[in-house]
């Protein structure tokens, strides 16, 4: 999968890790855009402090080999060359077989009171990115597509109903987009086929 992604999105770089934990961190607001989203294997500190940075944690207890791509702002364009809104990054098993999961992430390091402002935009950015991947045949019908929305400064790890809605709304979103939406700050890899939120 990673070779096909690099062919379509020439600005992207794919990195691989087998770390037991991955931390997806959005430094944008705290560095005034000097740094953006980064993926770490150890929890980084808030810049110029000794306080751990809040982020999305991906548990990988089996040390599965995982590829990850952080998207550049200029990568997604429509037929007219205009930028398409997109999410931050995607992760997937390095084996990249057709039945595997692929996780797209939109992370907003904002104050909890601002979550309502961003929640619809997060969904829209994820759908737009996934549609572009499908347009380029980077995702097959057998891939389990997860769209993870993370608000790291919210203390609870799972807050699905606040962002994605109840089970009826989640079912509607899946039928409409064939995407498993989840709002959480913790996910866990079980194997190549199973990725789930930590509740």
């Amino acid at each position: 999968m990673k070779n096909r992604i690099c062919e379509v999105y020439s600005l992207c770089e794919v990195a691989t890790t087998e770390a037991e934990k991955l931390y997806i961190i959005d430094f944008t607001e705290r560095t005034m855009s000097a740094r953006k989203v980064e993926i770490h294997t150890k929890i980084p500190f808030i810049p110029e402090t000794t306080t751990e940075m809040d982020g999305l944690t991906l548990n990988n207890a089996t040390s599965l080999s995982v590829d990850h791509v952080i998207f550049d702002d200029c990568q997604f364009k429509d037929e007219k060359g205009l930028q398409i809104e997109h999410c931050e990054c995607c992760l997937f098993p390095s084996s990249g077989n057709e039945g595997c999961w692929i996780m797209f992430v939109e992370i907003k390091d904002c104050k909890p009171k601002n979550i309502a402002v961003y929640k619809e935009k997060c969904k829209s950015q994820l759908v737009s990115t996934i549609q572009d991947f499908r347009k380029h045949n980077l995702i097959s019908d057998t891939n389990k597509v997860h769209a993870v929305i993370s608000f790291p400064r919210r203390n609870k790890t799972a807050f699905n109903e606040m962002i994605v809605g109840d089970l009826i709304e989640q079912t509607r979103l899946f039928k409409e987009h064939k995407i498993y939406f989840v709002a959480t700050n913790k996910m866990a890899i079980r194997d190549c086929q199973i990725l789930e939120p930590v509740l």
Side-chain angles (χ1 to χ4, degrees):
M1 185 182 291
K2 68 179 175 184
N3 292 336
R4 296 196 328 255
I5 290 172
C6 289
E7 284 172 19
V8 173
Y9 307 111
S10 59
L11 296 174
C12 78
E13 293 180 21
V14 180
T16 304
T17 184
E18 295 174 2
E20 290 185 11
K21 285 190 186 279
L22 290 174
Y23 303 95
I24 303 165
I25 310 291
D26 182 5
F27 286 102
T28 309
E29 185 174 314
R30 300 191 201 216
T31 65
M32 295 188 298
S33 298
R35 293 169 70 181
K36 302 223 174 170
V37 170
E38 299 174 8
I39 297 177
H40 294 261
T41 55
K42 294 181 180 175
I43 301 176
F45 296 125
I46 294 170
E48 300 180 22
T49 75
T50 55
T51 304
E52 292 180 347
M53 184 80 175
D54 303 306
L56 169 64
T57 302
L58 179 60
N59 294 324
N60 184 20
T62 61
S63 296
L64 181 75
S65 181
V66 174
D67 290 342
H68 52 87
V69 182
I70 297 173
F71 300 130
D72 185 275
D73 283 338
C74 301
Q75 282 179 293
F76 292 87
K77 298 194 177 194
D78 63 15
E79 292 78 19
K80 296 178 181 176
L82 300 173
Q83 286 189 26
I84 301 170
E85 64 178 3
H86 61 86
C87 64
E88 316 287 6
C89 61
C90 74
L91 301 94
F92 49 89
S94 300
S95 61
N97 65 31
E98 290 211 0
C100 74
W101 53 264
I102 180 167
M103 179 174 92
F104 292 84
V105 176
E106 179 58 30
I107 185 167
K108 295 283 188 215
D109 181 46
C110 65
K111 293 175 181 167
K113 68 178 183 179
N114 294 329
I115 289 174
V117 174
Y118 292 113
K119 68 180 187 177
E120 292 306 319
K121 183 170 176 58
C122 288
K123 287 187 237 180
S124 173
Q125 288 172 280
L126 286 157
V127 168
S128 174
T129 308
I130 293 164
Q131 284 176 339
D132 205 62
F133 262 62
R134 285 183 170 143
K135 181 179 90 175
H136 290 99
N137 297 313
L138 298 172
I139 302 172
S140 79
D141 290 340
T142 62
N143 288 119
K144 295 171 185 165
V145 181
H146 298 266
V148 178
I149 300 170
S150 173
F151 288 97
R153 292 197 216 182
R154 180 155 172 91
N155 294 329
K156 294 181 181 178
T157 56
F159 36 92
N160 234 14
E161 288 195 7
M162 182 178 182
I163 310 299
V164 185
D166 59 16
L167 188 58
I168 294 168
E169 175 65 6
Q170 291 169 42
T171 303
R172 184 194 69 75
L173 285 167
F174 180 77
K175 283 182 179 175
E176 187 176 335
H177 301 291
K178 300 292 185 254
I179 299 168
Y180 296 98
F181 281 90
V182 62
T184 186
N185 288 327
K186 282 192 180 177
M187 292 290 287
I189 297 169
R190 300 297 174 219
D191 55 35
C192 285
Q193 273 79 41
I194 300 174
L195 174 74
E196 58 193 13
V198 176
L199 304 174

